[in-house]
């Protein structure tokens, strides 16, 4: 089955700086890669996703890049704000029937 | 509230007891997923339904776990003979039918926190 690894497990940045979280996957057939944000005690919420037919996708301060050859994808958050502090999870799927999640990155934005 | 709902939100049980959780997906979402999440970990896939059909089940899932979605709407997850290792947050998520844009967005419920004593 698919194996998704996520790094780093914790990340602290100063407000206004950028944050980058990286994930690798093992199954080359995976074609859908969502990112979720989970605040303490709350449910995961989708923040951005990308399909394997594109290399980059951007939504305001958030962007995701995908390198199919290397089988890794990254989340980029620019101009970080304290409300960006949360745990971020990457995931991979090839059929939409089964999703494999990373172990999460706890992001702290220091005011 | 038109989001995914789960019931109960918290469940405390003794080892060996059976428990059942319910998930009500967003209406018209034909795809439904169950996950288990422990502290400091990402959601772990358990099973997937498309309408009433259970199409995927994790190979790691013990036979003490069973899930149903009898009418293609709400779903139940039952754990028989609970063990302390079953203590976790059980999350349900639903997705709309796949469309030409290939939307696989999952909407998560608030979860049921299970504590096995």
């Amino acid at each position: 089955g698919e194996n998704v690894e996520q790094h780093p497990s914790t990340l602290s940045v100063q407000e206004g700086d950028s944050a980058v979280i990286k994930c690798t996957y093992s199954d080359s057939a995976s074609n859908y890669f969502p990112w979720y944000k989970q605040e303490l005690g709350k449910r995961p919420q989708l923040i951005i996703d990308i399909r394997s037919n594109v290399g980059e996708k951007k939504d305001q301060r958030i962007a995701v890049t995908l390198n199919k050859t290397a089988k890794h994808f990254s989340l980029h958050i620019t101009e970080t704000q304290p409300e960006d502090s949360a745990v971020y999870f990457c995931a991979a799927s090839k059929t939409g029937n089964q999703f494999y999640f990373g172990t999460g990155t706890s992001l702290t934005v220091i005011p | 509230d038109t989001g995914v709902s789960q019931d109960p939100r918290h469940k405390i049980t003794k080892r060996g007891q059976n428990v059942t959780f319910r998930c009500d997906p967003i209406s018209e979402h034909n795809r439904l997923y169950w996950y288990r999440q422990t502290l400091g970990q990402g959601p772990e896939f358990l099973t997937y339904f498309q309408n009433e059909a259970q199409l995927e089940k994790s190979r790691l899932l013990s036979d003490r776990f069973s899930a149903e979605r009898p009418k293609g709407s709400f779903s139940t997850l039952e754990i028989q003979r609970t063990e302390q290792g079953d203590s976790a947050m059980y999350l349900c998520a639903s997705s709309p039918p796949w469309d030409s844009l290939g939307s696989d967005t999952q909407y998560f419920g608030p979860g049921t926190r299970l504590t096995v004593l």
Side-chain angles (χ1 to χ4, degrees):
Chain A
E2 173 70 279
N3 181 43
V4 177
E5 296 189 354
Q6 183 171 347
H7 300 280
S9 57
T10 60
L11 179 61
S12 292
V13 299
Q14 291 289 332
E15 182 177 359
D17 287 351
S18 296
V20 180
I21 302 170
K22 298 181 179 180
C23 287
T24 61
Y25 60 99
S26 59
D27 190 342
S28 57
S30 289
N31 59 12
Y32 176 68
F33 308 93
W35 285 90
Y36 287 85
K37 175 182 180 182
Q38 187 173 28
E39 298 177 59
L40 190 63
K42 296 190 176 181
R43 69 192 77 184
Q45 290 195 309
L46 180 76
I47 56 171
I48 196 167
D49 56 9
I50 192 168
R51 288 206 167 268
S52 58
N53 57 347
V54 298
E56 184 173 0
K57 184 177 178 180
K58 191 174 182 180
D59 182 5
Q60 299 183 337
R61 297 186 297 109
I62 295 173
V64 56
T65 59
L66 171 65
N67 183 325
K68 288 188 295 182
T69 302
K71 289 189 285 189
H72 68 70
F73 56 111
S74 300
L75 177 71
H76 305 253
I77 306 174
T78 58
E79 301 171 17
T80 53
Q81 301 167 2
E83 51 265 39
D84 294 329
S85 296
V87 179
Y88 291 81
F89 293 101
C90 62
S93 178
K94 62 181 177 183
T95 63
N97 292 1
Q98 193 161 349
F99 285 76
Y100 297 88
F101 281 76
T103 51
T105 296
S106 178
L107 173 65
T108 301
V109 180
I110 304 166
Chain B
D1 185 356
T2 57
V4 179
S5 62
Q6 292 185 243
D7 184 71
R9 296 291 304 276
H10 303 273
K11 178 70 177 179
I12 300 174
T13 191
K14 293 182 178 180
R15 189 177 53 186
Q17 297 295 304
N18 299 343
V19 294
T20 300
F21 309 142
R22 177 179 169 124
C23 171
D24 285 89
I26 295 171
S27 59
E28 299 175 357
H29 280 194
N30 67 335
R31 296 188 286 167
L32 187 146
Y33 308 80
W34 283 100
Y35 293 89
R36 175 171 58 193
Q37 186 176 27
T38 54
L39 196 62
Q41 298 296 315
E44 175 192 2
F45 172 81
L46 296 179
T47 191
Y48 163 72
F49 289 86
Q50 184 168 304
N51 299 310
E52 66 276 8
Q54 187 175 21
L55 299 185
E56 297 280 356
K57 186 175 178 180
S58 171
R59 282 171 287 180
L60 302 176
L61 199 59
S62 162
D63 57 8
R64 297 184 296 106
F65 287 70
S66 62
E68 294 182 339
R69 195 182 183 197
K71 297 182 180 180
S73 57
F74 73 92
S75 175
T76 58
L77 177 69
E78 181 183 18
I79 309 174
Q80 296 182 325
R81 305 180 302 281
T82 53
E83 302 172 356
Q84 289 184 325
D86 296 332
S87 295
M89 176 73 83
Y90 289 84
L91 293 165
C92 174
S94 69
S95 293
W98 188 93
D99 60 21
S100 60
L101 297 178
S103 173
D104 277 318
T105 304
Q106 293 181 82
Y107 298 84
F108 281 85
T112 294
R113 182 168 296 284
L114 173 65
T115 302
V116 182
L117 301 176

